[in-house]
Amino acid sequence: MSQALHVPTMAEMAAKGESPEVLFWVGCAGSFDDRAKKITKAFVQILNKCNVKFAVLGTEESCTGDPAKRAGNEFLFQMQAFANIEVMNGYGVKKVVTACPHCFNTLKNEYPELGGNFEVVHHTSFINDLFNSGRLIIEGGSFRGKRITYHDACYLGRANGVYEAPRNLIKKLDAELVEMKRCRTKGLCCGAGGAQMFKEPEKGDKDVNIERIEDALETKPNIVATGCPFCNTMMTDGVKNKEKEEDVKVLDIVEMIATAQDML
Amino acid sequence: MGIENIVFLLVLIAASLLFARNVQRIKKNINLGRDIDRTDRKGERWKTMAMVALGQSKMVKRPVAGFLHILVYVGFVLINIEVLEIVIDGVFGTHRILSLLGGFYDVLIASFEVLALLVLLACVVFLIRRNLVRVQRFFKPEMKGWPSLDGNLILIFEIALMTALLMMNGADQVLQARGAEHYASAGSFPISEALFGSWFTGLSTESLIFIERFTWWFHIVGILGFLNYLPISKHFHIILAFPNTWYSNLNAKGRFNNLESVTNEVKLMMDPNADPFAAPDPNAAPPERFGAKDVTDLNWVQIMGAYSCTECGRCTSECPANQTGKKLSPRKIMMDVRDRADEIGKLKAQKQEDEIDKKFLLGDYITEEELWACTSCNACTEACPVNIDPLGIILDLRRYLVMEESKAPQELNLMFGNIENNGAPWQFSMADRLNWKDE
Ligand code: SF4
Ligand code: SF4
């Protein structure tokens, strides 16, 4: 039941003298990574369906600088930050939503000191709000009764204390949320953070995502739920490595919500 | 005042002076670090200290070790009240001076006895965990040699002290019952009586006085010795845990500091009115290094963290890199910072300043391989029972490598190049950023 996406840009809105409720910060993965693009589109389906007046920066968006900063390149990070802040302040942005915990963390925590003061929310919190304000109805659909385990993204959980928003959504799908032995504050990293995504791991006896997918598979899930495009990649690779693609799907929570509501 | 009291007073003064000197040494080493202001949000800081250090809130995340640790901690703090009495008795030649508290004194002494026994048992279990059960986190490479011996010595020390205390009480109690001179009846001794009662009642009064005096001296000199052992041991955490939690990072864990020195340069670069050929201000301080190459580039809170580290290894046991066999161990990062600060402190004290620059924290202690294995996941800072932040140090060392030496792994340099040229860590054009919409 896929609908044509309606994705206005800030520039278009500004030209019409309008301003959106919220800026959807798509992020680099969400813009360019084939798997993450699906997450982006699923989120836009929900935004469209709920008539959320949103906009994206489109070609005016640039990397937040997160991977540069974690890798130690503070120069590059601040160059990116100042450029982005200038664009966002130019449009008078107040509120930002993003489906990437890395963008979320950087925009929320590191931009204010450099002049970028926005209310920043992660898409799982945003969708919870849509539900709570009655703008979105969530039904379980094909996810009803499924065993779903949720992998905490470091930059959402430990880094910013967001543990419940994603879990609430899984529960609203009438699914069975099964926790891994290491979860919430003790959740194990997927291995992608700190710019690891962009390099080979150091020598060791195992890859971090394999260690983590073992935690997940121990719960005998039908679905491994994520809230981060990088975790999604790492977990998907882990599932492939264990040759479990047939039985276990790795899905972003927003994809589940959209699929269950027949939007995809 | 008898000769015994004078000897005691001298021992007490010497031990206190030595301790003050040791503390000064550590304070100097901590002050090798750069300045940082962490005096904001005072209310929150007091609360954090009360919860984490005083209340041990993070210790109990591991229930077994946490519970045992609380026993030792509470025992240690309360038994110190008895140590106060011992010191007064020692100086003035009194016998159990606090007995003037009357009936309450009995309750006090009886509960100290129970605590002493619990501390003793907890230490025995700790020894078993370290040496027989061989809890994994105590057997990582950085624990070889002194750190491992240190851990055991502390426990043996405490067991010996508690045994001496109980034996002293046991002998005292029999002497009191016999109405021996100087041993006026005071206190209630359920544990020492149960442990030593039947043995001690069979001994002569002279032997008992000898045991009582010997264990009294052993206990107090032991404590004074232990006090001076702290500064060369991880056991110094019993003091630094308090300031370390007070000064700890209160921001969201994901928030990394924005380097001000970089902000200034970036602003200058982006300012169209800035004159790139302007002569530098001759009075300006020499530019700081970007990031950290040595402990002197860290801030003093980071170095204090190193001296607060208990080497418990909770950080390392939760570190994804360490668990998958990489060289990185956040505990080792902290131990390296401390050892290097010690080394610089020593060289300075010996006036061998020119030796200092022959070695660096980065390279001689911590290798690049360790640094690049970090995923910045914050598992270590979350796990640390005294709020130490190894990740902040890892980041500062990476900053030095990248910004001063351009020594990032090749793939990361490519990533930097992509962000710089096309605003994404991969090779996609910024113009294609919205293409997903129509795919
Ligand atoms: S932040 Fe780095 S050092 Fe700390 S636990 Fe995670 S990977 Fe290990
Ligand atoms: S840094 Fe903290 S968790 Fe790690 S060994 Fe030291 S005290 Fe323990």
PDB file of all heavy atoms in Angstrom, chain A residues 22 24 26 36 41 47 60 65 77 89 93 149 199-200 206 218 230 232 234 240-241 244 257:
ATOM      1  N   VAL A  22       8.442  20.576  12.385  1.00  0.00           N
ATOM      2  CA  VAL A  22       9.671  19.896  12.764  1.00  0.00           C
ATOM      3  C   VAL A  22      10.547  19.681  11.544  1.00  0.00           C
ATOM      4  O   VAL A  22      10.045  19.472  10.437  1.00  0.00           O
ATOM      5  CB  VAL A  22       9.325  18.542  13.453  1.00  0.00           C
ATOM      6  CG1 VAL A  22       8.626  17.596  12.491  1.00  0.00           C
ATOM      7  CG2 VAL A  22      10.557  17.888  14.060  1.00  0.00           C
ATOM      8  N   PHE A  24      13.010  17.199   9.772  1.00  0.00           N
ATOM      9  CA  PHE A  24      13.466  15.808   9.781  1.00  0.00           C
ATOM     10  C   PHE A  24      14.912  15.793   9.310  1.00  0.00           C
ATOM     11  O   PHE A  24      15.204  16.053   8.146  1.00  0.00           O
ATOM     12  CB  PHE A  24      12.556  14.945   8.892  1.00  0.00           C
ATOM     13  CG  PHE A  24      13.053  13.538   8.685  1.00  0.00           C
ATOM     14  CD1 PHE A  24      13.849  12.885   9.628  1.00  0.00           C
ATOM     15  CD2 PHE A  24      12.698  12.844   7.528  1.00  0.00           C
ATOM     16  CE1 PHE A  24      14.304  11.586   9.421  1.00  0.00           C
ATOM     17  CE2 PHE A  24      13.152  11.541   7.308  1.00  0.00           C
ATOM     18  CZ  PHE A  24      13.961  10.920   8.255  1.00  0.00           C
ATOM     19  N   VAL A  26      17.755  13.831   8.150  1.00  0.00           N
ATOM     20  CA  VAL A  26      17.820  12.483   7.579  1.00  0.00           C
ATOM     21  C   VAL A  26      19.139  11.793   7.918  1.00  0.00           C
ATOM     22  O   VAL A  26      19.189  10.604   8.212  1.00  0.00           O
ATOM     23  CB  VAL A  26      17.611  12.542   6.046  1.00  0.00           C
ATOM     24  CG1 VAL A  26      17.602  11.143   5.459  1.00  0.00           C
ATOM     25  CG2 VAL A  26      16.314  13.267   5.723  1.00  0.00           C
ATOM     26  N   ALA A  36      19.424   1.830   5.018  1.00  0.00           N
ATOM     27  CA  ALA A  36      18.909   2.899   5.872  1.00  0.00           C
ATOM     28  C   ALA A  36      17.886   3.764   5.153  1.00  0.00           C
ATOM     29  O   ALA A  36      16.994   4.337   5.776  1.00  0.00           O
ATOM     30  CB  ALA A  36      20.064   3.753   6.381  1.00  0.00           C
ATOM     31  N   LYS A  41      12.348   6.151   4.534  1.00  0.00           N
ATOM     32  CA  LYS A  41      11.065   6.207   3.836  1.00  0.00           C
ATOM     33  C   LYS A  41       9.931   5.747   4.740  1.00  0.00           C
ATOM     34  O   LYS A  41       8.832   6.309   4.690  1.00  0.00           O
ATOM     35  CB  LYS A  41      11.126   5.347   2.579  1.00  0.00           C
ATOM     36  CG  LYS A  41      11.998   5.959   1.503  1.00  0.00           C
ATOM     37  CD  LYS A  41      11.777   5.220   0.203  1.00  0.00           C
ATOM     38  CE  LYS A  41      13.035   5.233  -0.632  1.00  0.00           C
ATOM     39  NZ  LYS A  41      12.932   4.309  -1.762  1.00  0.00           N
ATOM     40  N   LEU A  47       5.041  10.076   8.915  1.00  0.00           N
ATOM     41  CA  LEU A  47       4.869  11.533   9.013  1.00  0.00           C
ATOM     42  C   LEU A  47       3.749  11.994   8.077  1.00  0.00           C
ATOM     43  O   LEU A  47       2.896  12.797   8.450  1.00  0.00           O
ATOM     44  CB  LEU A  47       6.178  12.247   8.653  1.00  0.00           C
ATOM     45  CG  LEU A  47       7.337  12.056   9.625  1.00  0.00           C
ATOM     46  CD1 LEU A  47       8.611  12.680   9.062  1.00  0.00           C
ATOM     47  CD2 LEU A  47       7.015  12.655  10.991  1.00  0.00           C
ATOM     48  N   GLU A  60      20.884  20.702   1.308  1.00  0.00           N
ATOM     49  CA  GLU A  60      21.558  21.644   2.218  1.00  0.00           C
ATOM     50  C   GLU A  60      22.019  20.973   3.507  1.00  0.00           C
ATOM     51  O   GLU A  60      22.670  21.590   4.333  1.00  0.00           O
ATOM     52  CB  GLU A  60      20.604  22.796   2.571  1.00  0.00           C
ATOM     53  CG  GLU A  60      20.360  23.737   1.413  1.00  0.00           C
ATOM     54  CD  GLU A  60      19.525  24.924   1.845  1.00  0.00           C
ATOM     55  OE1 GLU A  60      18.293  24.780   1.917  1.00  0.00           O
ATOM     56  OE2 GLU A  60      20.121  25.976   2.137  1.00  0.00           O
ATOM     57  N   GLY A  65      29.089  15.680  11.605  1.00  0.00           N
ATOM     58  CA  GLY A  65      30.472  15.682  12.063  1.00  0.00           C
ATOM     59  C   GLY A  65      30.726  14.640  13.139  1.00  0.00           C
ATOM     60  O   GLY A  65      31.847  14.515  13.632  1.00  0.00           O
ATOM     61  N   PHE A  77      34.941  18.401  12.690  1.00  0.00           N
ATOM     62  CA  PHE A  77      33.640  18.393  13.359  1.00  0.00           C
ATOM     63  C   PHE A  77      33.092  19.804  13.481  1.00  0.00           C
ATOM     64  O   PHE A  77      31.950  20.083  13.128  1.00  0.00           O
ATOM     65  CB  PHE A  77      33.725  17.748  14.746  1.00  0.00           C
ATOM     66  CG  PHE A  77      32.556  18.119  15.615  1.00  0.00           C
ATOM     67  CD1 PHE A  77      31.299  17.592  15.366  1.00  0.00           C
ATOM     68  CD2 PHE A  77      32.691  19.036  16.652  1.00  0.00           C
ATOM     69  CE1 PHE A  77      30.207  17.967  16.130  1.00  0.00           C
ATOM     70  CE2 PHE A  77      31.604  19.425  17.418  1.00  0.00           C
ATOM     71  CZ  PHE A  77      30.357  18.884  17.151  1.00  0.00           C
ATOM     72  N   ASN A  89      19.830  27.758  11.597  1.00  0.00           N
ATOM     73  CA  ASN A  89      19.407  29.034  12.189  1.00  0.00           C
ATOM     74  C   ASN A  89      18.829  29.967  11.133  1.00  0.00           C
ATOM     75  O   ASN A  89      17.908  30.725  11.392  1.00  0.00           O
ATOM     76  CB  ASN A  89      20.570  29.709  12.920  1.00  0.00           C
ATOM     77  CG  ASN A  89      20.844  29.039  14.264  1.00  0.00           C
ATOM     78  OD1 ASN A  89      20.012  28.274  14.753  1.00  0.00           O
ATOM     79  ND2 ASN A  89      21.996  29.314  14.844  1.00  0.00           N
ATOM     80  N   VAL A  93      15.024  27.071  12.562  1.00  0.00           N
ATOM     81  CA  VAL A  93      14.602  25.749  13.045  1.00  0.00           C
ATOM     82  C   VAL A  93      14.477  25.738  14.562  1.00  0.00           C
ATOM     83  O   VAL A  93      15.334  26.266  15.270  1.00  0.00           O
ATOM     84  CB  VAL A  93      15.616  24.672  12.595  1.00  0.00           C
ATOM     85  CG1 VAL A  93      15.330  23.345  13.270  1.00  0.00           C
ATOM     86  CG2 VAL A  93      15.600  24.526  11.085  1.00  0.00           C
ATOM     87  N   THR A 149      13.351  -8.860  20.081  1.00  0.00           N
ATOM     88  CA  THR A 149      14.330  -8.390  21.064  1.00  0.00           C
ATOM     89  C   THR A 149      14.854  -7.041  20.581  1.00  0.00           C
ATOM     90  O   THR A 149      14.988  -6.815  19.382  1.00  0.00           O
ATOM     91  CB  THR A 149      15.462  -9.420  21.276  1.00  0.00           C
ATOM     92  OG1 THR A 149      16.235  -9.015  22.414  1.00  0.00           O
ATOM     93  CG2 THR A 149      16.372  -9.524  20.059  1.00  0.00           C
ATOM     94  N   LYS A 199      36.102   1.765   9.473  1.00  0.00           N
ATOM     95  CA  LYS A 199      37.425   1.141   9.404  1.00  0.00           C
ATOM     96  C   LYS A 199      37.341  -0.331   9.755  1.00  0.00           C
ATOM     97  O   LYS A 199      36.328  -0.797  10.284  1.00  0.00           O
ATOM     98  CB  LYS A 199      38.392   1.856  10.363  1.00  0.00           C
ATOM     99  CG  LYS A 199      37.948   1.779  11.826  1.00  0.00           C
ATOM    100  CD  LYS A 199      38.870   2.575  12.728  1.00  0.00           C
ATOM    101  CE  LYS A 199      39.929   1.698  13.357  1.00  0.00           C
ATOM    102  NZ  LYS A 199      39.403   0.633  14.222  1.00  0.00           N
ATOM    103  N   GLU A 200      38.403  -1.041   9.453  1.00  0.00           N
ATOM    104  CA  GLU A 200      38.480  -2.434   9.879  1.00  0.00           C
ATOM    105  C   GLU A 200      38.719  -2.463  11.382  1.00  0.00           C
ATOM    106  O   GLU A 200      39.397  -1.587  11.913  1.00  0.00           O
ATOM    107  CB  GLU A 200      39.652  -3.131   9.168  1.00  0.00           C
ATOM    108  CG  GLU A 200      39.400  -3.449   7.712  1.00  0.00           C
ATOM    109  CD  GLU A 200      38.174  -4.324   7.512  1.00  0.00           C
ATOM    110  OE1 GLU A 200      38.061  -5.356   8.195  1.00  0.00           O
ATOM    111  OE2 GLU A 200      37.304  -3.952   6.681  1.00  0.00           O
ATOM    112  N   LYS A 206      37.440 -11.849  17.811  1.00  0.00           N
ATOM    113  CA  LYS A 206      36.041 -11.889  17.400  1.00  0.00           C
ATOM    114  C   LYS A 206      35.626 -10.482  16.986  1.00  0.00           C
ATOM    115  O   LYS A 206      36.201  -9.511  17.449  1.00  0.00           O
ATOM    116  CB  LYS A 206      35.232 -12.303  18.618  1.00  0.00           C
ATOM    117  CG  LYS A 206      33.881 -12.875  18.350  1.00  0.00           C
ATOM    118  CD  LYS A 206      33.285 -13.331  19.684  1.00  0.00           C
ATOM    119  CE  LYS A 206      32.038 -14.133  19.477  1.00  0.00           C
ATOM    120  NZ  LYS A 206      31.478 -14.574  20.755  1.00  0.00           N
ATOM    121  N   GLU A 218      20.290 -15.703  21.336  1.00  0.00           N
ATOM    122  CA  GLU A 218      19.989 -16.468  22.552  1.00  0.00           C
ATOM    123  C   GLU A 218      18.531 -16.306  22.987  1.00  0.00           C
ATOM    124  O   GLU A 218      17.970 -17.170  23.644  1.00  0.00           O
ATOM    125  CB  GLU A 218      20.872 -15.949  23.691  1.00  0.00           C
ATOM    126  CG  GLU A 218      21.756 -16.993  24.327  1.00  0.00           C
ATOM    127  CD  GLU A 218      22.713 -16.341  25.320  1.00  0.00           C
ATOM    128  OE1 GLU A 218      22.224 -15.640  26.227  1.00  0.00           O
ATOM    129  OE2 GLU A 218      23.931 -16.538  25.165  1.00  0.00           O
ATOM    130  N   PHE A 230      23.250   2.306  11.935  1.00  0.00           N
ATOM    131  CA  PHE A 230      24.531   1.602  12.020  1.00  0.00           C
ATOM    132  C   PHE A 230      24.381   0.285  12.769  1.00  0.00           C
ATOM    133  O   PHE A 230      24.925  -0.743  12.366  1.00  0.00           O
ATOM    134  CB  PHE A 230      25.591   2.489  12.671  1.00  0.00           C
ATOM    135  CG  PHE A 230      25.856   3.737  11.884  1.00  0.00           C
ATOM    136  CD1 PHE A 230      25.333   4.958  12.268  1.00  0.00           C
ATOM    137  CD2 PHE A 230      26.601   3.679  10.715  1.00  0.00           C
ATOM    138  CE1 PHE A 230      25.551   6.108  11.529  1.00  0.00           C
ATOM    139  CE2 PHE A 230      26.839   4.827   9.952  1.00  0.00           C
ATOM    140  CZ  PHE A 230      26.310   6.046  10.361  1.00  0.00           C
ATOM    141  N   ASN A 232      21.742  -1.350  12.813  1.00  0.00           N
ATOM    142  CA  ASN A 232      21.004  -2.187  11.880  1.00  0.00           C
ATOM    143  C   ASN A 232      21.960  -2.928  10.944  1.00  0.00           C
ATOM    144  O   ASN A 232      21.865  -4.135  10.760  1.00  0.00           O
ATOM    145  CB  ASN A 232      20.030  -1.303  11.092  1.00  0.00           C
ATOM    146  CG  ASN A 232      19.032  -2.121  10.310  1.00  0.00           C
ATOM    147  OD1 ASN A 232      19.420  -2.941   9.481  1.00  0.00           O
ATOM    148  ND2 ASN A 232      17.749  -1.931  10.580  1.00  0.00           N
ATOM    149  N   MET A 234      25.160  -3.574  11.449  1.00  0.00           N
ATOM    150  CA  MET A 234      25.992  -4.514  12.191  1.00  0.00           C
ATOM    151  C   MET A 234      25.216  -5.775  12.559  1.00  0.00           C
ATOM    152  O   MET A 234      25.724  -6.883  12.457  1.00  0.00           O
ATOM    153  CB  MET A 234      26.532  -3.856  13.466  1.00  0.00           C
ATOM    154  CG  MET A 234      27.480  -2.699  13.220  1.00  0.00           C
ATOM    155  SD  MET A 234      28.797  -3.101  12.075  1.00  0.00           S
ATOM    156  CE  MET A 234      30.175  -3.304  13.160  1.00  0.00           C
ATOM    157  N   LYS A 240      23.611 -12.613   9.119  1.00  0.00           N
ATOM    158  CA  LYS A 240      24.116 -13.296   7.920  1.00  0.00           C
ATOM    159  C   LYS A 240      25.260 -14.218   8.279  1.00  0.00           C
ATOM    160  O   LYS A 240      25.326 -15.357   7.835  1.00  0.00           O
ATOM    161  CB  LYS A 240      24.616 -12.260   6.903  1.00  0.00           C
ATOM    162  CG  LYS A 240      23.501 -11.655   6.091  1.00  0.00           C
ATOM    163  CD  LYS A 240      24.075 -10.870   4.906  1.00  0.00           C
ATOM    164  CE  LYS A 240      23.006  -9.953   4.350  1.00  0.00           C
ATOM    165  NZ  LYS A 240      23.479  -8.576   4.158  1.00  0.00           N
ATOM    166  N   ASN A 241      26.138 -13.716   9.123  1.00  0.00           N
ATOM    167  CA  ASN A 241      27.284 -14.516   9.533  1.00  0.00           C
ATOM    168  C   ASN A 241      26.843 -15.815  10.196  1.00  0.00           C
ATOM    169  O   ASN A 241      27.472 -16.854  10.035  1.00  0.00           O
ATOM    170  CB  ASN A 241      28.146 -13.682  10.483  1.00  0.00           C
ATOM    171  CG  ASN A 241      29.349 -14.427  10.987  1.00  0.00           C
ATOM    172  OD1 ASN A 241      29.228 -15.278  11.860  1.00  0.00           O
ATOM    173  ND2 ASN A 241      30.519 -14.135  10.418  1.00  0.00           N
ATOM    174  N   LYS A 244      21.305 -17.026   9.576  1.00  0.00           N
ATOM    175  CA  LYS A 244      19.961 -17.058  10.157  1.00  0.00           C
ATOM    176  C   LYS A 244      19.014 -16.114   9.429  1.00  0.00           C
ATOM    177  O   LYS A 244      17.958 -15.763   9.954  1.00  0.00           O
ATOM    178  CB  LYS A 244      20.022 -16.632  11.632  1.00  0.00           C
ATOM    179  CG  LYS A 244      20.687 -17.620  12.551  1.00  0.00           C
ATOM    180  CD  LYS A 244      19.655 -18.600  13.076  1.00  0.00           C
ATOM    181  CE  LYS A 244      20.309 -19.477  14.130  1.00  0.00           C
ATOM    182  NZ  LYS A 244      19.802 -20.831  14.156  1.00  0.00           N
ATOM    183  N   ILE A 257       6.425  -0.330  12.709  1.00  0.00           N
ATOM    184  CA  ILE A 257       5.201   0.450  12.896  1.00  0.00           C
ATOM    185  C   ILE A 257       4.545   0.716  11.534  1.00  0.00           C
ATOM    186  O   ILE A 257       3.347   0.510  11.359  1.00  0.00           O
ATOM    187  CB  ILE A 257       5.516   1.807  13.574  1.00  0.00           C
ATOM    188  CG1 ILE A 257       6.250   1.609  14.899  1.00  0.00           C
ATOM    189  CG2 ILE A 257       4.248   2.637  13.739  1.00  0.00           C
ATOM    190  CD1 ILE A 257       5.395   1.273  16.068  1.00  0.00           C
TER     191      ILE A 257
END
